[in-house]
Amino acid sequence: MTSLPKPIYARVTLIGLGLIASSMAHAMRANGLAGEIVGYAKTPTTRATAQKLGFCDRVCDTAAEAVAGADLIVLAVPVGAMAEIAAGIAPHLAQGATVTDVGSVKQAVIAAVGPLLGPGVAFVPAHPLAGTEHSGPTSGFATLFQNRWCLLTPTEQSTPEATLRLRSLWEGMGAKVQEMDPAHHDLVLAVVSHTPHLIAYTMVGVADHLEQVSNSEVIQYSASGFRDFTRIAASDPTMWRDVFLTNKDATLEVLGRFTEELFALQRAIRMGDGDQLHAYFTRTREIRRGIIDAGQDTSVPDFGRVHAPVAPKA
Ligand code: NAP
């Protein structure tokens, strides 16, 4: 744990004002980590919403204006939009500034953004492993990163001072910080996040296409596991399209393994091989126990959900 004097940055500019950026703004405010928070997003609607919510001290109408004089610039836009933004802001960055991003894929962002930044600007890629299925400026909250991992994937454009300062910011927002090689990050995330999302999208799509399962049955009985798939499959389409387009190799590698395992289980079911199914599910149950032991989830039944009564729809 590093602790630098607060505020850690005199001026932080957030490019993109959605779930992650607005949560960062709330968390920085709550912990006194930034002297001034400046924001910019693509559409006038989002800029107006952010202005109204007041989580930035200033919201600018252009990215160039927003980054002027900033010590830290956070690219919090979908991965596919990072290069366009970096190209637009590069000429306007102050000497000594640090650029970071929060993209869910690291190698593609580093390849797209790194070459666009001039000398005298540090680039420290980052990825907070925290989120919800909600997006946009109204969805952020100060505790999103509390006790969550934030992975930093430094490159030759990351000075030790810039990396240390960014680490201190994430720790100040409540995150646990770890440095990781970018290629390794993309493979790990393909296993723990990207492929599971693709499977959830697929399963919800399958239910949608099964004509014998009427919509009302899918919704009525969704407590039995399917509901968790629908929550994941409600995640932002633009963000996830970009994740799969940019983390192609790692996702395809993991999907290949997944398909092999699925065929093995399919065969065990067809052959009535209960021993194989039991042994497999015993192994996976151990993984779940490991996740709970590591403090990444709770063992409270039904994933710790609080069940408020749901009013039936008229
Ligand atoms: P989000 O809520 O959908 O917000 C995205 C923001 O980016 C919006 O404010 C949008 O502005 C802005 N934007 C899009 N294209 C832009 C452009 N060309 N120029 C300027 N602004 C632009 O997304 P998010 O969930 O915060 O995700 C942001 C990044 O964090 C993504 O790279 C994602 O991979 C990463 N991430 C997400 C999660 C998660 O669970 N959500 C977790 C970790 C990391 P408009 O509204 O004006 O279009």
Side-chain angles (χ1 to χ4, degrees):
M1 181 99 179
T2 46
S3 52
L4 297 181
K6 293 179 187 177
I8 293 170
Y9 295 97
R11 184 181 296 168
V12 175
T13 294
L14 302 168
I15 304 284
L17 295 169
L19 169 71
I20 300 298
S22 59
S23 295
M24 288 182 74
H26 289 298
M28 287 189 286
R29 276 265 175 87
N31 296 288
L33 303 170
E36 186 188 22
I37 301 171
V38 182
Y40 168 77
K42 188 170 59 173
T43 62
T45 317
T46 298
R47 296 201 293 270
T49 306
Q51 188 100 54
K52 197 167 133 210
L53 293 171
F55 55 75
C56 292
D57 297 295
R58 282 191 291 130
V59 177
C60 299
D61 287 336
T62 67
E65 193 191 335
V67 302
D71 308 277
L72 179 72
I73 299 91
V74 184
L75 309 182
V77 298
V79 170
M82 299 273 182
E84 176 200 331
I85 293 287
I89 63 170
H92 307 281
L93 297 171
Q95 281 293 302
T98 295
V99 173
T100 186
D101 75 291
V102 293
S104 305
V105 178
K106 297 285 41 119
Q107 290 178 104
V109 172
I110 291 167
V113 172
L116 299 169
L117 304 176
V121 172
F123 178 37
V124 189
H127 178 202
L129 307 190
T132 73
E133 67 275 31
H134 301 297
S135 52
T138 55
S139 55
F141 54 100
T143 53
L144 177 65
F145 311 111
Q146 204 70 48
N147 213 27
R148 297 291 174 165
W149 286 104
C150 180
L151 303 177
L152 304 185
T153 60
T155 70
E156 66 283 359
Q157 287 174 289
S158 319
T159 62
E161 299 74 30
T163 306
L164 178 76
R165 216 163 155 200
L166 189 68
R167 168 186 280 271
S168 195
L169 179 79
W170 279 106
E171 287 176 348
M173 291 190 287
K176 302 177 286 183
V177 178
Q178 183 81 47
E179 288 186 25
M180 198 178 265
D181 167 73
H184 189 62
H185 166 280
D186 288 355
L187 183 60
V188 170
L189 266 292
V191 175
V192 302
S193 170
H194 304 167
T195 309
H197 268 81
L198 196 70
I199 293 165
Y201 281 122
T202 314
M203 195 56 229
V204 175
V206 167
D208 190 38
H209 284 113
L210 276 180
E211 282 173 13
Q212 68 268 36
V213 180
S214 74
N215 276 345
S216 63
E217 280 175 315
V218 168
I219 293 162
Q220 185 176 346
Y221 302 122
S222 68
S224 38
F226 182 69
R227 186 179 55 183
D228 292 308
F229 282 118
T230 62
R231 189 184 62 76
I232 296 170
S235 301
D236 187 69
T238 307
M239 168 186 157
W240 284 96
R241 175 202 62 194
D242 288 3
V243 165
F244 294 118
L245 292 180
T246 55
N247 199 17
K248 196 171 173 176
D249 293 346
T251 308
L252 290 177
E253 167 66 25
V254 176
L255 266 181
R257 306 256 186 125
F258 175 81
T259 314
E260 285 170 20
E261 300 278 309
L262 189 65
F263 281 148
L265 290 179
Q266 192 178 344
R267 185 179 154 76
I269 293 169
R270 192 184 306 285
M271 305 304 283
D273 189 344
D275 288 347
Q276 189 187 343
L277 293 174
H278 193 272
Y280 199 95
F281 301 156
T282 304
R283 270 206 329 271
T284 55
R285 184 179 237 195
E286 282 309 311
I287 293 172
R288 170 75 191 157
R289 289 205 177 114
I291 289 170
I292 293 164
D293 290 348
Q296 293 294 302
D297 206 347
T298 160
S299 61
V300 176
D302 202 12
F303 306 97
R305 282 195 180 90
V306 178
H307 290 277
V310 179
K313 279 206 164 159

